[in-house]
Amino acid sequence: MSKLKSRIKTQHQLSFHGDYSCETVAFFDNNILVLRLWDQQASQPLLQFRRADDLQLLLSLPLAEYDGSQIFCRWGTGLALLGKSGLWFWPSIAEQEAEFYPLHNGDVLQQQLNGQQYQFTPLQMVALDEQQLLLRMSGANNRNGRAISWLFINEDGNSHIVNRFKELDDTEVLQLPVFAQTQPELAAIAVNNGTIWSLCYPQTGAKQHTANVNVLVPYQYRLPKTLLGSLSKLLGAGQKRELLLQPGLQSFTGGDACFSENHQWLWLHPKGKSSLDCYAIGSGLSQHQISLTPGQNLGDITKRQAHLSFWDEKHFLVHNGTQLNLCEVLLPTTTA
């Protein structure tokens, strides 16, 4: 594994006009950051989109006006935001007005069985393609990732959810030794070149937050390999597509793992180490390793305070709620 250095390109102070505290900062795309702020006076959260180079404000969304939801994703060149009442879509960050698609069947997120009420909560949203979105869903009455739901806009102008469209119940997954004693927890999903990658780990106890092992599970949205599926593909109708498990399950060491925001890389902070390892999704090959140091990326931010977000294998940010460092990995130059 190549050990590379990094550097701070730009530093920003996260202080804005008004009484705001900054909770999170992440990449929305390679040039735009998304910040979740807390408006102290209004006692409500804000979602703001700002240019990375100078923090110029592009779009500000008081989330109380959108059902208080904080589930959003990049959809094409625009923004999708999911609330209890429906789906809002901004074709671009430059536009202030959103298209709204009422949620036709929001009741599927609540079920009643034997007098007990069960609630399923969307935890993450990603774009499957230009017409469809995927949701990482919680289990019943908790916030542990358990399944993938399917969200689409119908011809009637309403949005629809197929709840728990895909459970993590494939035999090949459950037979892995790491899941012999406990169910897999779905930590994140990413869509890369038509493959849906699920980041899973054995369900941890309430006091344990770091995974002992990380597993990448690949799916594709396609017709099943059956006679009916083949006929459906030929005729263009009939059998519905499914999320089908693909070859290439990958296991990684324990630690805190996350996808890059462009869904092409996996970044892993191995348990007990101060380094960060970068892997190309799909290849399982480690690309490089960097260290968190004051001189290279932390600046005045302590390791304990540092929160990170990665755009790709090179560009990342470090923040502590008041200071923001935009950093880059110094990749080796290649010669022809």
Side-chain angles (χ1 to χ4, degrees), residues 203-319:
Q203 183 179 349
T204 57
K207 296 182 179 180
Q208 183 179 346
H209 301 289
T210 302
N212 292 321
V213 64
N214 291 281
V215 180
L216 279 185
V217 182
Y219 295 98
Q220 286 191 355
Y221 179 65
R222 57 194 300 179
L223 291 169
K225 292 182 178 179
T226 61
L227 176 59
L228 184 57
S230 300
L231 288 173
S232 296
K233 185 175 182 180
L234 182 65
L235 300 174
Q239 180 80 4
K240 293 183 179 179
R241 295 188 178 195
E242 301 174 5
L243 283 185
L244 300 177
L245 181 67
Q246 302 298 301
L249 276 74
Q250 301 171 24
S251 294
F252 299 87
T253 186
D256 296 319
C258 68
F259 291 119
S260 65
E261 295 298 335
N262 74 348
H263 290 190
Q264 296 181 25
W265 307 88
L266 180 76
W267 281 89
L268 174 64
H269 182 191
K271 210 171 182 179
K273 295 185 179 181
S274 60
S275 60
L276 294 167
D277 301 340
C278 179
Y279 297 86
I281 295 177
S283 73
L285 300 176
S286 174
Q287 299 299 305
H288 50 255
Q289 181 184 87
I290 63 173
S291 297
L292 292 176
T293 69
Q296 293 188 39
N297 40 57
L298 291 174
D300 296 330
I301 300 173
T302 66
K303 288 183 182 179
R304 185 178 295 273
Q305 295 175 324
H307 300 276
L308 289 86
S309 172
F310 304 89
W311 170 248
D312 53 18
E313 85 283 20
K314 180 178 180 180
H315 301 95
F316 66 102
L317 64 82
V318 184
H319 82 93

Side-chain angles (χ1 to χ4, degrees), residues 23-24 34-39 42-49 59-72 79-85 88 90:
E23 297 179 342
T24 65
V34 54
L35 296 80
R36 191 176 71 216
L37 308 175
W38 182 258
D39 186 334
S43 294
Q44 69 171 4
L46 284 172
L47 208 59
Q48 290 194 345
F49 296 82
L59 180 65
S60 183
L61 303 176
L63 292 177
E65 299 178 9
Y66 303 93
D67 302 335
S69 173
Q70 299 182 30
I71 303 298
F72 66 92
L79 164 70
L81 177 70
L82 178 65
K84 292 180 180 179
S85 60
W88 285 269
W90 287 260

Side-chain angles (χ1 to χ4, degrees), residues 34-149:
V34 54
L35 296 80
R36 191 176 71 216
L37 308 175
W38 182 258
D39 186 334
Q40 304 283 4
Q41 291 185 340
S43 294
Q44 69 171 4
L46 284 172
L47 208 59
Q48 290 194 345
F49 296 82
R50 294 176 176 268
R51 286 199 326 206
D53 56 355
D54 59 5
L55 293 188
Q56 178 181 332
L57 180 62
L58 302 174
L59 180 65
S60 183
L61 303 176
L63 292 177
E65 299 178 9
Y66 303 93
D67 302 335
S69 173
Q70 299 182 30
I71 303 298
F72 66 92
C73 72
R74 189 175 65 256
W75 198 7
T77 59
L79 164 70
L81 177 70
L82 178 65
K84 292 180 180 179
S85 60
L87 182 74
W88 285 269
F89 175 64
W90 287 260
S92 77
I93 296 299
E95 299 189 34
Q96 301 298 312
E97 296 297 324
E99 303 167 6
F100 180 62
Y101 303 95
L103 185 56
H104 176 71
N105 62 335
D107 57 334
V108 299
L109 302 182
Q110 298 182 16
Q111 296 179 10
Q112 189 166 352
L113 182 64
N114 297 327
Q116 179 72 34
Q117 189 75 21
Y118 295 98
Q119 176 74 41
F120 301 95
T121 305
L123 304 173
Q124 179 193 0
M125 182 165 63
V126 299
L128 176 59
D129 56 30
E130 294 181 355
Q131 287 82 36
Q132 304 166 101
L133 298 155
L134 296 177
L135 303 172
R136 179 170 63 93
M137 298 297 298
S138 76
N141 299 338
N142 61 55
R143 295 190 65 83
N144 298 325
R146 282 290 179 267
I148 298 174
S149 295

